[in-house]
Amino acid sequence: MDATAFEDLGLIEPLTAAVRAEGYERPTPIQARAIPHVLAGKDLLGLAQTGTGKTAAFALPILQRLHASGVKPEGRRPIRVLILTPTRELASQIGDAFKTYGRNLRYRHAVIFGGVGHEPQRQALRSGNLDILVATPGRLLDLAGERILDLSKLDVFVLDEADRMLDMGFIHDVKRVIALLPRRRQTLFFSATMPPEAQRLADVLLHEPETVAVTPPASTVDRIDQSVYFVDKSEKRTLLEDVLYDNEEMRRVLVFTRTKHGANRVAEHLTKRGEHAAAIHGNKSQNARERALAHFKSGEIRILVATDIAARGIDIDDVTHVINFDLPEVPEQYVHRIGRTARAGASGTAISFCDAEERDLLVQIERTIRKPVPRAQGHAVPRWADEPSRGGAPAAPRDG
Ligand code: AMP
């Protein structure tokens, strides 16, 4: 952990006061390394995933640059900063982050994403009274097509979660957005991984960039108290109840299932047993998902059941426990899942359920994290647990 203080990074008082008010004691590694470059106007290649504090790593210096160049608080003016991000959840979280970090500064921002009505977003753009726009690519292009969006005076472009953007098939949309931007600008490119397609995009977008890489997985995994229960498939729900029952430390529990259907079943089961639980997944409306997330954040519901796809990118602090009701089929996903409970330096607990068909998935996970997941204490171990088959189990069906 870099020991620098926010003040040492060259941030002005209105911003350091805002992060202090959020309870941040010191910058995370990505913040310590990226903020000075962004303040200096350099292009940046940031290799970091959600949970490392990357949003503040770009939002704080961007706000400072806006402030330094003078913002007209009212009246028409060009959009100066565009942040492109793959999902609506991320877009609204980034919007919230700007609100939080910029609370002591005068500027305006808007968030635009798909899945909700066009009109309010259209009006926000038409007012011409904006400095920062946070957007998903599809809706941005829709609105750009209506000619109510002028990005020609842009100073800073942020491409967030580039690898995921490409994963989700947004490459053409991203290229169309880039074509709307002025060539002279500062570009910040964030990605958790750099597959060749992401590298090609970075090569096109960035001009003599500084590279800042943080690798949370190993250190994150080390901070998490992990355990695995071997359990028959039919017993998983009862085990979940037992694990959750009467445990006050489990204040905010994220449960992962493999399928949407499974998420619903688990949430319904828990609700019937008197737990405050909800499911989020791709079949739910935007409203239902936002409501469930808001209730989870506020503590009204203690247990959120999610599929991997639904959980990607949702940013919730203080998840005390992650429970893998089903093991992920891709071993790296295990690291991403349990990382949800050790945000920005916190520690956390991850509990996994492994049934006979998942035995080989566990072997792969242990290979990936290069250590065994400790067996839960005080729980009978079925005989199959010590006999992983060779060659790997067939992958179970997956949806989001
Ligand atoms: P991000 O990677 O941007 O999604 O941030 C992950 C979480 O870490 C967010 O919920 C932030 O509120 C929190 N966070 C960001 N920077 C810090 C910091 N310097 N100290 C403590 N928490 C932070």
Side-chain angles (χ1 to χ4, degrees):
M1 178 69 76
D2 305 33
T4 334
F6 281 104
E7 287 78 5
D8 301 334
L9 301 176
L11 291 173
I12 52 176
E13 209 275 334
L15 293 168
T16 56
V19 292
R20 231 180 294 123
E22 271 300 281
Y24 299 179
E25 285 174 9
R26 65 180 69 81
T28 64
I30 183 86
Q31 290 161 5
R33 289 178 219 158
I35 289 173
H37 293 313
V38 182
L39 283 177
K42 305 283 286 186
D43 278 7
L44 184 82
L45 174 61
L47 294 168
Q49 64 184 50
T50 297
T52 55
K54 73 180 160 69
T55 314
F58 63 78
L60 291 168
I62 284 176
L63 283 163
Q64 180 153 333
R65 283 173 67 78
L66 261 185
H67 177 75
S69 65
V71 166
K72 269 202 302 171
E74 292 308 325
R76 288 193 77 79
R77 56 190 185 276
I79 292 169
R80 307 267 302 280
V81 179
L82 171 68
I83 293 121
L84 205 59
T85 190
T87 67
R88 37 202 183 188
E89 278 86 4
L90 276 169
S92 64
Q93 278 158 27
I94 294 170
D96 290 347
F98 272 102
K99 202 182 292 164
T100 304
Y101 303 141
R103 66 216 273 176
N104 302 320
L105 298 174
R106 297 177 73 172
Y107 76 97
R108 292 176 78 103
H109 80 273
V111 181
I112 64 177
F113 49 72
V116 295
H118 283 69
E119 203 42 44
Q121 301 178 356
R122 203 175 269 140
Q123 274 171 16
L125 293 179
R126 270 212 197 96
S127 74
N129 186 9
L130 282 179
D131 308 293
I132 299 175
L133 188 62
V134 184
T136 55
R139 179 58 63 92
L140 184 77
L141 288 168
D142 274 2
L143 294 168
E146 298 178 18
R147 297 176 186 282
I148 48 175
L149 181 62
D150 177 11
L151 296 170
S152 67
K153 303 284 187 315
L154 201 78
D155 292 325
V156 187
F157 172 52
V158 181
L159 187 67
D160 184 39
E161 309 234 341
D163 51 349
R164 217 164 123 197
M165 201 85 95
L166 300 175
D167 251 15
M168 293 170 75
F170 288 163
I171 181 71
H172 296 296
D173 283 354
V174 170
K175 287 189 172 159
R176 286 171 60 206
V177 172
I178 294 165
L180 303 172
L181 309 181
R183 292 176 73 91
R184 260 182 73 99
R185 57 162 199 261
Q186 182 180 14
T187 303
L188 315 178
F189 185 106
F190 286 90
S191 201
T193 58
M194 281 305 265
E197 204 186 3
Q199 188 60 54
R200 278 195 295 275
L201 189 59
D203 291 344
V204 174
L205 281 175
L206 297 169
H207 178 66
E208 297 178 3
E210 297 290 341
T211 299
V212 171
V214 296
T215 43
S219 57
T220 311
V221 168
D222 288 342
R223 281 201 311 272
I224 299 171
D225 178 17
Q226 302 169 62
S227 61
V228 60
Y229 286 88
F230 293 107
V231 57
D232 289 324
K233 201 186 203 100
S234 59
E235 295 295 319
K236 279 188 176 181
R237 275 189 263 173
T238 315
L239 177 62
L240 180 62
E241 269 177 62
D242 290 349
V243 166
L244 289 168
Y245 183 71
D246 208 19
N247 186 336
E248 282 178 9
E249 282 174 12
M250 295 195 162
R251 289 188 314 278
R252 218 166 260 145
V253 185
L254 190 54
V255 178
F256 284 96
T257 60
R258 190 171 301 143
T259 64
K260 298 183 242 195
H261 196 55
N264 277 341
R265 268 197 316 243
V266 169
E268 278 163 20
H269 179 81
L270 293 174
T271 307
K272 270 194 209 130
R273 303 288 150 142
E275 288 284 359
H276 296 284
I280 55 163
H281 52 66
N283 281 4
K284 299 242 166 180
S285 70
Q286 170 79 354
N287 271 347
R289 288 201 287 173
E290 277 177 4
R291 207 166 42 236
L293 272 179
H295 287 167
F296 188 59
K297 282 187 186 175
S298 72
E300 269 165 83
I301 61 171
R302 177 165 85 115
I303 304 150
L304 193 67
V305 190
T307 56
D308 285 308
I309 293 176
R312 272 185 96 164
I314 58 172
D315 167 29
I316 301 160
D317 287 335
D318 302 331
V319 171
T320 58
H321 291 71
V322 164
I323 299 182
N324 293 309
F325 186 86
D326 300 313
L327 287 183
E329 293 131 64
V330 185
E332 287 77 19
Q333 195 65 34
Y334 176 81
V335 178
H336 288 301
R337 284 184 180 185
I338 71 171
R340 313 310 296 259
T341 177
R343 285 298 177 87
S347 58
T349 306
I351 299 169
S352 299
F353 295 174
C354 174
D355 67 29
E357 285 170 30
E358 293 172 317
R359 192 65 190 81
D360 293 300
L361 295 176
L362 182 67
V363 173
Q364 289 169 31
I365 287 166
E366 293 182 325
R367 245 180 240 147
T368 302
I369 61 171
R370 301 218 180 91
K371 60 179 80 166
V373 178
R375 279 44 179 162
Q377 299 294 311
H379 180 75
V381 177
R383 186 172 309 155
W384 52 257
D386 293 318
E387 301 164 355
S389 70
R390 285 159 196 265
R398 179 200 182 96
D399 62 24

